[in-house]
């Protein structure tokens, strides 16, 4: 899959499936609405109309089903007919699975995706997850032939006309962002260290005409970024704070996306065990998603100020490593007593959100991170966890997740009951909880929020993506589609406007800590 080019076209054209293998995919009741005249040119002369109809009649999705139409050159696959209220109507996760298992082999293949217009964005992002870019298999380096998969959407239901050219471009940018994020997360730290991650940021900046701001190594300490510096100071490749800033004319608000970029997490001196350390190359999933989403958002005409803040470090072991009992001064001005060096993500993000508030003047700060193993227990393998000071934005995250396929479920937001877990006798707070049975994922997010202050008047959203950042041993690119959908109203793109759960104005309920409600515009 690593050398596969993904192309979205209004019409894939006709071809003998023996020369261009084909997968037809959709919910059964949608597949039944596809006229034979539309698929005939993609199936003949190998498949007749009678065989096509017979294949459809045999499908019994529970939750999915598939039927070969002609040897291994053509297959029709059915998605679940219904999904629960906490799933995406697009059945995005099943799309990825069916493509991986049912797409016929070949150098040039075609997918005909049958769905409603509202599910186009989620379906495209789900397709992209089936084609990861990273591989170090020896055979892959010997293959020079570039493979292509052409995707055509057949729309049913309302608004079932042809897919617009602008929509195809949006899908291309979004799926490139998903695959970029997945490639970074899949790449081991021997290649994707902090230096290499900065190269990825510079590459995106150059493409968009943006020069990144980069603060590295001893400069971090000198400027007060005790969280990022303390986590990464023992590594061979020094830590960094990097920022890509998009500041268009006419912007009415400032948004910051802050990504946790721990390129490898040994746990530091509170070292992880031999069974829990493998896979920690994925601890940069938040920063990778922010990079992929930022690239796509700017390409699709983001109208407001948008800053992508990357908190990069390798949590390593060495003579210069942070010790438990050390006290760090963070960029917020607050001191933190370290009682667990494996609770490092919240330290780098605390510096990142403080910078977004103090230096970038952000009205809305969203941090995204593979923060806690407890997230997978709290909300499962498929749903990211959201913690926010705004009831409206909590609901918006859940809706955006259902619309884009990057599913989200709320955590308990109750700092007056939970933040006491970080009480320290010698500093403003500790970095890890006293009681690991007391909603640890919520507490971890609250640690980050405390460096803004619980009375901060802006919108703060924390997304813990520890579990959904990967499926098995492969990265998913999770978070890219979610950010694009959640902030779709700040884009000029009609498709992103369609999948955004927010209108031109949203009620931001900020009464959780006794403050008055206010309205915050998102356009």
């Amino acid at each position: 899959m690593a050398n596969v080019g993904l192309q979205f076209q209004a019409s894939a054209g006709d071809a003998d499936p023996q020369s261009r293998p084909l997968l037809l995919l959709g919910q059964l009741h949608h597949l039944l609405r596809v006229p034979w005249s539309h698929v005939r040119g993609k199936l003949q002369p190998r498949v007749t109309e009678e065989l096509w109809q017979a294949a459809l009649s045999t499908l019994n999705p529970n939750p999915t089903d598939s039927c070969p139409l002609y040897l291994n050159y053509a297959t029709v696959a059915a998605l679940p007919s219904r999904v629960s209220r906490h799933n995406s109507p697009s059945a995005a996760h099943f799309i990825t699975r069916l493509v991986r298992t049912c797409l016929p082999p070949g150098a040039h293949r075609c997918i005909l995706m049958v769905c409603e217009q509202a599910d186009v964005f989620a379906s495209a992002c789900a397709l992209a997850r089936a084609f990861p870019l990273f591989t170090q298999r020896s055979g892959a380096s010997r293959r020079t032939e570039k493979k292509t998969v052409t995707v055509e959407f057949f729309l049913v239901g309302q608004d079932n006309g042809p897919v617009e050219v602008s929509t195809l471009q949006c899908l291309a940018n979004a799926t490139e962002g998903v695959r970029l994020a997945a490639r970074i997360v899949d790449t081991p730290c021997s290649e994707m260290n902090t230096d290499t991650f900065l190269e990825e940021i510079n590459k995106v900046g150059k493409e968009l005409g943006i020069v990144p701001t980069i603060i590295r190594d001893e400069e971090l300490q000198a400027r007060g970024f005790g969280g990022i510096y303390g986590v990464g100071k023992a590594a061979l490749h020094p830590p960094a704070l990097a920022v890509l800033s998009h500041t268009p004319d006419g912007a009415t608000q400032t948004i910051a996306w802050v990504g946790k970029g721990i390129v490898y997490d040994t746990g530091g001196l509170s070292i992880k065990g031999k069974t829990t350390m493998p896979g920690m190359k994925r601890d940069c999933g938040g920063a990778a998603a922010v990079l992929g989403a930022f690239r796509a958002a700017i390409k699709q005409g983001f109208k407001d100020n948008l800053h992508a803040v990357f908190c990069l470090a390798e949590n390593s072991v060495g003579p210069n490593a942070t010790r438990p009992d050390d006290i760090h001064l963070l960029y917020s001005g607050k001191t933190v007593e370290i009682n667990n060096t494996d609770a490092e993500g919240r330290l780098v993000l605390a510096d990142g959100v403080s910078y977004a508030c103090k230096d970038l003047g952000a009205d809305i700060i969203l941090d995204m991170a593979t923060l806690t193993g407890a997230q997978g227990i709290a909300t499962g393998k498929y749903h990211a966890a959201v913690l926010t000071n705004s009831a409206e934005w909590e609901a918006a995250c859940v809706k955006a997740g259902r619309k884009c396929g990057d599913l989200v479920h709320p955590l308990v937001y109750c700092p007056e009951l939970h933040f006491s877990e970080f009480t320290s006798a010698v500093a403003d707070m500790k970095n890890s909880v006293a009681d690991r049975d007391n909603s640890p994922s919520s507490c971890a997010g609250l640690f980050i929020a405390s460096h803004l202050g619980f009375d901060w008047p802006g919108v703060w959203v924390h997304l813990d993506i520890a579990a959904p950042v990967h499926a098995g041993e492969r990265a998913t690119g999770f978070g890219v589609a979610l950010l694009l959908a959640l902030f779709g109203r700040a884009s000029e793109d009609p498709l992103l406007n369609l999948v955004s759960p927010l209108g031109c104005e949203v009620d931001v309920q900020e009464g959780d800590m006794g403050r008055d409600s206010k309205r915050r515009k998102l356009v």
Side-chain angles (χ1 to χ4, degrees), residues 55-378:
L56 292 179
S57 67
T58 66
L59 291 173
N60 183 29
N62 186 30
T64 63
D65 198 9
S66 63
C67 180
L69 298 170
Y70 174 67
L71 301 177
N72 63 343
Y73 294 107
T75 299
V76 60
L79 295 166
S81 299
R82 296 177 60 190
V83 296
S84 69
R85 69 182 185 276
H86 290 153
N87 201 352
S88 170
S90 67
H93 286 83
F94 293 101
I95 293 174
T96 306
R97 294 181 197 177
L98 285 173
V99 171
R100 285 174 173 163
T101 56
C102 298
L103 182 64
H108 304 286
R109 294 167 287 175
C110 179
I111 297 174
L112 180 62
M113 184 75 225
V114 184
C115 65
E116 297 181 357
Q117 186 183 46
D119 295 330
V120 166
F121 182 77
S123 300
C125 292
L127 291 170
R129 295 185 191 103
F131 301 99
L133 291 168
F134 178 80
T135 184
Q136 284 289 17
R137 289 183 171 175
S138 57
S141 62
R142 295 194 294 269
R143 298 191 196 104
T144 57
E145 182 183 22
K146 181 73 173 178
K147 297 183 179 181
T148 59
V149 173
T150 302
V151 179
E152 175 187 335
F153 281 92
F154 183 85
L155 302 184
V156 297
Q158 295 181 340
D159 301 319
N160 60 358
V163 176
E164 300 288 339
V165 174
S166 62
T167 296
L168 296 173
Q169 186 59 55
C170 178
L171 296 180
N173 287 328
T175 54
E176 286 170 7
V178 170
R179 298 180 81 193
L180 167 63
R183 175 175 62 78
I184 290 173
V185 172
D186 271 338
T187 306
C189 186
S190 56
E191 299 176 44
M192 190 56 64
N193 51 56
T194 55
D195 292 341
T196 316
F197 206 120
L198 286 172
E199 290 175 9
E200 297 284 350
I201 293 169
N202 275 298
K203 190 183 303 181
V204 170
K206 184 175 181 180
E207 184 180 5
L208 300 176
I210 299 171
V211 178
T213 298
I214 298 174
I215 305 169
R216 289 211 80 178
D217 203 6
E218 299 300 325
E219 187 184 357
L220 285 168
Q221 184 182 34
R223 294 181 59 172
F225 294 94
I228 300 174
Y229 179 77
V231 170
K233 64 180 180 175
L236 176 63
H237 301 278
L241 177 79
V243 185
L244 290 170
S245 296
H246 169 71
T247 54
D249 293 336
T252 59
Q253 62 185 346
T254 299
I255 300 160
W257 296 343
V258 184
K260 174 187 172 185
I262 301 297
V263 292
Y264 200 80
D265 182 17
T266 66
L269 293 181
S270 306
I271 198 163
K272 295 178 182 290
K274 64 180 181 181
T275 59
T276 54
M277 200 185 300
M280 284 300 105
K281 65 179 181 179
R282 305 186 190 111
D283 216 13
C284 61
V290 166
L291 183 62
F294 182 85
R295 177 185 181 274
I298 304 312
K299 280 178 167 285
Q300 290 307 120
F302 206 85
K303 296 181 293 187
D304 280 316
N305 296 326
L306 180 62
H307 302 281
V309 182
F310 306 92
C311 306
L312 306 178
E314 179 183 348
N315 191 19
S316 192
V317 175
N320 199 34
T322 290
R323 297 165 291 267
D325 295 338
D326 285 356
I327 296 176
H328 292 324
L329 176 63
L330 271 58
Y331 196 66
S332 63
K334 296 181 179 180
T335 56
V336 178
E337 178 188 3
I338 306 301
N339 61 335
N340 181 2
T341 65
D342 196 21
E344 85 297 330
R346 63 200 68 180
L347 295 169
V348 303
L349 288 172
D351 277 351
V353 300
S354 297
Y355 181 84
C357 176
K358 293 165 65 174
D359 291 61
L360 302 178
D363 307 299
I364 301 168
I365 297 176
L366 180 147
D367 71 78
M368 182 172 283
T370 51
L371 201 67
T372 63
Q375 175 273 308
I377 299 170

